[in-house]
Amino acid sequence: MKVALATAAALVAAGGAHAQDLAVQPLVEARLRSEHVDQQGLADTADAVTLRVRAGVSATRGRIAALVEAQGNLAIVDRYDDGLHGVATRPIVADPENVALYRAQLQYRSKPLTVTLGRQRIALDDERFVGAVAFRQNGQTFDAVRVEWTGVAGLKADVSYAWGVRTIWGIDGMGARQRAVSGDNVFANLSYASPVGNVTGFAYLVDQDEGAVQGFRLSSQTFGARLAGSRKLGPVTLGYQLSGARQRDFRHNPNRYTADYRLVEGSLEHGPFRLGAGQEVLGADRGVALTSFQAPVGTLFKFNGWADKFLITPPDGLRDAYATLGFNKAIAGPFKALALQASYHRFDSDRSVRHYGDEIDLLASVKIGRYTFAARYADYDADRFATDTQKAWLQLDWAF
């Protein structure tokens, strides 16, 4: 980390003498969001209005680039439990106040090879297993060295060693919600652009080396493969995804378990309309807590419903059968894009196939110039897991 920061400072300082060789780019973005949560079983609702700002600079000379970026999150309205502070009578909104270094990285880039060292975002494939958790105000980054190689046409190798995960809980993180989780993590991803789609083999070794975080029980080794592609069928585009993986315990994990993962998804697109359906299965071993398939460093908000009822997979696993109807259209003038989406999820256990509940998710967003306005709604109807929950968001994003 010190090397990345020192190099960034050296590049900027050298700009005075060699300004023609140095490209400096400011990084500024902001997000204002209101989140309301009504959860059965809790006496009070949660209302959070938060403002997240990120600011930094990138400097590039030839094949070398350095980047430094800070972030801060302010709770303007704080009638919520942020996971670290607040009363237990209100639902959790996982956006605690925070001021921290978000990214600080040094990068070497040539045509076949990119090497990135320092605090950085890492998002692999659809972010199911390794992601940046972009929806939460504080995001997730990795203290890591990452090597990406594209020396053979159609082939990409992507390997990272991360010794720290900077979590969404920020500088006040503690207990089971640490601000950073150390460990020897390895994320290896080999993909090939085949005629039928992008074929990926992966190995993700997650080492959660903090006893306070579930007693080391989130450490796992996951090996699998994924196919994602599309095919034009006249006026319609057929999209498809297939994925399978097997997960076992790793390093200091006291549990001994094996759990499987399966994903089958298909979609049809015609003009601005998209209809999709699929099933995702996070398998279970023997019905004991944290012996089901887990993804502790993935972007979990994107999967299994926006009500966030399945961030930790239940002991008996999860089957998520879902359908989505979407509309996306580029618009002339200042209105750059309009997006509408409605999704339905049916959740069941993998063991014994018991019905957990159902969820409906709705989204509307429009981009105007540098601004993006979005409204979301999630309604989880519980049967045999968790409790009825409704969430609503209004969000404004701005980027320089």
Side-chain angles (χ1 to χ4, degrees), residues 37-275:
V37 186
D38 186 353
Q39 182 173 320
Q40 187 181 57
L42 295 178
D44 302 308
T45 60
D47 286 287
V49 177
T50 53
L51 175 62
R52 196 274 310 283
V53 177
R54 288 178 182 157
V57 63
S58 67
T60 304
R61 172 178 290 148
R63 295 181 176 180
I64 304 298
L67 181 153
V68 178
E69 185 178 25
Q71 72 175 2
N73 184 49
L74 173 67
I76 300 171
V77 176
D78 62 354
R79 294 192 296 272
Y80 68 102
D81 179 357
D82 65 11
L84 304 172
H85 317 94
V87 295
T89 60
R90 296 187 186 276
I92 289 179
V93 176
D95 290 324
E97 289 191 306
N98 183 44
V99 176
L101 180 66
Y102 179 59
R103 289 189 291 169
Q105 66 184 50
L106 175 66
Q107 187 175 81
Y108 168 85
R109 184 186 295 122
S110 66
K111 187 173 182 180
L113 180 68
T114 300
V115 180
T116 308
L117 171 66
R119 186 163 301 168
Q120 58 190 281
R121 283 194 296 250
I122 300 177
L124 300 177
D125 294 322
D126 59 356
E127 302 190 55
R128 186 47 170 122
F129 304 118
V130 182
V133 196
F135 182 77
R136 297 268 52 115
Q137 295 287 55
N138 293 317
Q140 175 175 272
T141 54
F142 299 84
D143 293 337
V145 56
R146 181 182 185 184
V147 179
E148 300 167 80
W149 180 79
T150 56
V152 176
L155 189 68
K156 180 180 180 180
D158 190 330
V159 180
S160 300
Y161 166 70
W163 58 89
V165 181
R166 309 298 298 194
T167 75
I168 65 171
W169 303 111
I171 58 173
D172 292 333
M174 56 186 171
R177 296 173 174 138
Q178 296 280 309
R179 67 176 175 178
V181 181
S182 60
D184 296 314
N185 303 276
V186 177
F187 312 134
N189 191 300
L190 182 65
S191 62
Y192 176 69
S194 78
V196 296
N198 205 52
V199 181
T200 304
F202 54 83
Y204 301 138
L205 310 182
V206 177
D207 180 20
Q208 300 271 280
D209 196 15
E210 303 283 349
V213 182
Q214 303 290 355
F216 307 109
R217 292 183 297 166
L218 290 178
S219 295
S220 64
Q221 49 186 320
T222 302
F223 301 90
R226 180 174 183 264
L227 168 67
S230 62
R231 181 79 61 179
K232 193 76 173 176
L233 302 175
V236 176
T237 300
L238 170 67
Y240 44 86
Q241 290 190 70
L242 299 170
S243 185
R246 172 156 290 187
Q247 184 177 96
R248 300 180 185 272
D249 52 276
F250 183 59
R251 295 296 295 270
H252 303 301
N253 192 332
N255 286 331
R256 296 293 176 263
Y257 76 99
T258 301
D260 292 330
Y261 171 87
R262 301 186 301 277
L263 170 69
V264 178
E265 181 181 287
S267 65
L268 293 172
E269 291 188 27
H270 180 66
F273 296 96
R274 181 182 185 275
L275 176 64

Side-chain angles (χ1 to χ4, degrees), residues 333-357:
F335 296 89
K336 293 185 176 181
L338 172 68
L340 303 172
Q341 180 179 307
S343 299
Y344 166 77
H345 296 260
R346 177 186 169 91
F347 301 113
D348 298 284
S349 65
D350 186 44
R351 295 177 77 250
S352 305
V353 195
R354 299 187 312 277
H355 185 217
Y356 285 151

